[in-house]
Amino acid sequence: MQRRRLRPTMAAVLPMLLVFAVATVFLVSLLDANVDVSASPSSLSTASFYKLSQRDGIGRIRRPSELKWIQEEASPQLSKWNASAGEKREDYAKLWIAPSSRGFVPCLKPNSAFSPPGASRGYLSVSTNGGLNQMRAGIADMVAVARIINATLVIPKLDKGSFWHDLSNFSDVFDEEYFIHSLENDVRIVKKLPKELATVTKTVKYFRSWSPLEYYQDEISKLWDDYKVIKSAKSDSRLANNNMPSEIQKLRCRAFYESLRFARGIQALGKSLVERMRSYGPFIALHLRYEKDMLAFSGCTYGLNISEAEELTTIRETTPYWKVKDIDPVQQRLKGYCPLTPKEVGTFLSCLGYPSNTPIYIASGEIYGGDSHMADLQSRFPILLSKEKLASAAELEPFRPYAAQMAALDYIVSVESDVFIPSYSGNMARAVNGHRRYLGHRRTITPDRKTLVRLFDKVDQGLLQGEKLSSIILEIHKKRQGSPSKRKGPVSGTRGMERFRSEESFYENPLPDCLCQPSESRSNK
């Protein structure tokens, strides 16, 4: 009797055990899967650290055939890049191909008539202004000015009174010894004024913006008759972009692209960030200039709520050195003067054809409004990474209080990225664009903001969508990918200072002054 009662019970239990076993195998296979693009990048906040192969300076990374790394702490939950199964690899590869450099290479070697610096007539002391890349351009200009007026350049003082209140000294951001020695055949540089000149009367001069060679030779050089120390109160845009002697232009490039090497600690972490990004496959560096200072300065409030817009207006009105206080945000956006919002950038990237599993490095400071404004971009492209997510708190600690040093880390990753896309054409975007041109015209996609915002408005109105939007965006950006082109002069019809402002920045495009083709470069390189 007991045996007959057990048989139906076993018959019921065995199928349940079989179902449980199958389910267990299925769950284990899921947990063991190699791809998990749904994982949130926030899971990387604890960071992962790798032992990396060594490399030399920016643009000269030694890439081993296989990236070898040793995990030291919890690794990211995101997987390495893997193209979706249904995607044609050849089409995907086209998204990363750099434009043809047409054989242009750096040609910075001075000609035989360029002699070592002559006898110094005095000392040029420089106070830089602005953020990291505004200061870098200004310093490179001052190297050239020192050569023109036969001055000994005193290591420039970095701007400590800007919006960021960064207290960094020159040697905190740049390799000071390398800067001095790499330019020793061009200009004399000292770390500080000699003691005997510390108390002499100095003349403080605001050098005229975008000035030609003659201004310094005829007007500034006369100051040596009365002073031994000339102090430049500002450094940015002190030299004209164009119509300068060839040797002065080459010197500016040597200073900007070669001699202003970042301090060793910044270089080391920057290179590590590049390798960590590369472990996900080809990646985009997105300079997302959607930060409080930029939005306040430009008066751009599109996509913000009322309280955010009011906060930015207050900042602009109470910042004394920002001259323009009353700005029409609607007109600013329609003229293309505003950075694209994170949502607009997401739409732009999708229309260009980049799939949702594309790794993106966010090169920026704190995004204004945080997650509330990043949600749409995050939903389109889940693999959003940054220095804060790729590095540990301990690695970032020495740099975190200093905006210029944090920006330098972003600069290194941006220069080395497979594709660079800026949401705004500011100093960072121009500097990275120029550096990538200098290193072989790497793919740099510059959004046509004026056209894009009108297209996005049509999308919001239901007048444009889908493949039509994508085809239009692809067409208007065919020639905005960083291919070689001669630096643009002033916009037709502009006059005075506006004429110079409308020119393409010298450091944004060093062609033709500092780049030449092999046939030209035999005697110059």
Side-chain angles (χ1 to χ4, degrees):
M1 292 292 292
Q2 187 177 11
R3 183 181 296 264
R4 283 194 293 272
R5 283 197 301 269
L6 284 173
R7 282 174 182 166
T9 304
M10 291 295 292
V13 169
L14 284 173
M16 292 175 63
L17 289 174
L18 181 60
V19 170
F20 179 79
V22 171
T24 300
V25 171
F26 178 73
L27 287 172
V28 169
S29 67
L30 281 178
L31 291 172
D32 197 44
N34 287 327
V35 177
D36 181 18
V37 297
S38 64
S40 169
S42 62
S43 65
L44 289 173
S45 59
T46 55
S48 59
F49 318 104
Y50 309 104
K51 292 183 178 178
L52 306 164
S53 59
Q54 290 189 345
R55 300 161 290 164
D56 18 10
I58 293 177
R60 298 170 179 79
I61 298 179
R62 302 189 189 104
R63 297 174 186 170
S65 59
E66 182 179 357
L67 179 65
K68 295 181 180 179
W69 49 274
I70 300 173
Q71 185 177 349
E72 296 180 358
E73 291 193 15
S75 64
Q77 297 303 306
L78 294 171
S79 70
K80 303 252 189 311
W81 167 82
N82 186 15
S84 57
E87 186 175 8
K88 294 182 179 179
R89 286 191 173 273
E90 58 271 24
D91 291 339
Y92 184 83
K94 290 178 182 178
L95 296 172
W96 306 101
I97 297 174
S100 171
S101 67
R102 303 209 319 262
F104 281 103
V105 295
C107 47
L108 303 183
K109 185 179 179 180
N111 63 35
S112 57
F114 189 83
S115 60
S120 175
R121 298 189 65 189
Y123 291 84
L124 175 61
S125 175
V126 176
S127 293
T128 62
N129 57 295
L132 172 68
N133 292 291
Q134 188 172 335
M135 291 191 291
R136 289 177 67 240
I139 292 168
D141 272 7
M142 288 299 107
V143 167
V145 169
R147 172 77 189 197
I148 294 169
I149 65 175
N150 297 324
T152 296
L153 178 67
V154 181
I155 285 291
K157 295 180 180 178
L158 303 190
D159 188 349
K160 293 178 171 59
S162 64
F163 179 88
W164 304 274
H165 301 292
D166 189 333
L167 299 179
S168 298
N169 294 316
F170 187 95
S171 60
D172 297 322
V173 181
F174 304 106
D175 187 334
E176 189 173 70
E177 297 296 333
Y178 181 79
F179 178 74
I180 294 172
H181 293 302
S182 66
L183 292 168
E184 61 187 1
N185 292 323
D186 301 302
V187 61
R188 288 185 176 85
I189 304 174
V190 295
K191 293 182 181 181
K192 57 184 178 181
L193 280 174
K195 290 182 180 179
E196 63 270 21
L197 296 179
T199 58
V200 300
T201 303
K202 308 172 183 66
T203 179
V204 179
K205 187 75 173 176
Y206 285 81
F207 295 159
R208 197 172 64 200
S209 299
W210 295 295
S211 294
L213 184 78
E214 294 75 19
Y215 167 75
Y216 289 99
Q217 289 179 328
D218 301 338
E219 186 172 333
I220 300 302
S221 288
K222 291 179 181 179
L223 297 173
W224 293 132
D225 296 337
D226 300 308
Y227 303 97
K228 292 186 177 181
V229 180
I230 300 173
K231 182 176 181 180
S232 172
K234 284 191 173 184
S235 65
D236 65 321
S237 303
R238 301 301 109 179
L239 282 174
N241 289 306
N242 303 305
N243 303 317
M244 298 290 291
S246 173
E247 295 308 318
I248 293 300
Q249 298 291 62
K250 289 180 180 180
L251 175 55
R252 295 169 81 182
C253 285
R254 287 198 294 276
F256 190 82
Y257 300 119
E258 300 287 349
S259 298
L260 278 172
R261 179 184 291 178
F262 292 120
R264 292 181 182 181
I266 294 173
Q267 282 194 77
L269 182 55
K271 291 173 182 179
S272 295
L273 295 177
V274 172
E275 291 292 356
R276 293 171 195 181
M277 281 304 304
R278 288 209 183 284
S279 72
Y280 294 93
F283 71 94
I284 294 172
L286 172 62
H287 181 46
L288 195 57
R289 195 67 169 96
Y290 205 72
E291 300 150 316
K292 183 182 289 188
D293 66 298
M294 182 69 249
L295 297 176
F297 176 78
S298 61
C300 297
T301 59
Y302 178 78
L304 303 179
N305 59 42
I306 294 175
S307 63
E308 289 172 334
E310 290 176 347
E311 180 187 18
L312 297 180
T313 301
T314 300
I315 292 172
R316 185 170 65 254
E317 291 175 346
T318 56
T319 304
Y321 50 89
W322 289 354
K323 295 180 180 179
V324 181
K325 305 298 182 183
D326 187 16
I327 299 176
D328 184 338
V330 175
Q331 288 302 310
Q332 282 287 94
R333 180 171 177 269
L334 291 177
K335 290 177 181 178
Y337 295 163
C338 291
L340 296 177
T341 68
K343 179 179 179 180
E344 290 170 336
V345 169
T347 303
F348 178 62
L349 293 176
S350 295
C351 289
L352 290 176
Y354 289 97
S356 61
N357 62 351
T358 300
I360 298 176
Y361 179 89
I362 303 295
S364 74
E366 183 178 355
I367 300 301
Y368 189 58
D371 292 343
S372 63
H373 292 303
M374 289 292 288
D376 190 88
L377 177 60
Q378 180 81 65
S379 67
R380 284 178 179 268
F381 295 93
I383 313 179
L384 295 184
L385 303 167
S386 65
K387 53 188 174 295
E388 290 84 1
K389 292 174 180 176
L390 290 168
S392 69
E395 284 177 309
L396 279 180
E397 183 59 32
F399 314 106
R400 197 181 291 278
Y402 308 102
Q405 297 179 47
M406 293 287 275
L409 295 172
D410 284 339
Y411 185 90
I412 291 172
V413 181
S414 296
V415 168
E416 289 300 332
S417 62
D418 297 281
V419 176
F420 175 67
I421 300 178
S423 68
Y424 183 76
S425 56
N427 292 306
M428 168 79 164
R430 289 194 290 268
V432 172
N433 190 352
H435 209 145
R436 290 171 68 85
R437 288 177 180 274
Y438 178 78
L439 294 171
H441 293 85
R442 297 170 176 178
R443 189 165 191 157
T444 302
I445 304 175
T446 306
D448 181 346
R449 298 189 305 279
K450 186 175 180 178
T451 302
L452 285 174
V453 296
R454 285 168 166 78
L455 292 175
F456 295 149
D457 286 346
K458 287 185 177 181
V459 172
D460 291 340
Q461 296 162 14
L463 303 176
L464 186 64
Q465 56 184 313
E467 293 184 4
K468 180 65 174 176
L469 173 64
S470 183
S471 65
I472 294 174
I473 287 177
L474 285 170
E475 182 63 30
I476 64 177
H477 288 87
K478 278 184 178 179
K479 296 183 178 180
R480 301 176 69 92
Q481 312 249 344
S483 58
S485 61
K486 186 178 179 180
R487 188 171 57 257
K488 297 174 185 175
V491 173
S492 178
T494 55
R495 297 179 181 277
M497 284 297 182
E498 193 57 37
R499 177 178 179 274
F500 296 109
R501 288 192 181 94
S502 69
E503 293 178 329
E504 188 173 14
S505 165
F506 175 79
Y507 299 109
E508 182 177 11
N509 186 1
L511 182 65
D513 308 272
C514 304
L515 299 175
C516 54
Q517 291 169 313
S519 59
E520 303 174 72
S521 65
R522 290 192 184 104
S523 61
N524 293 323
K525 192 175 178 185

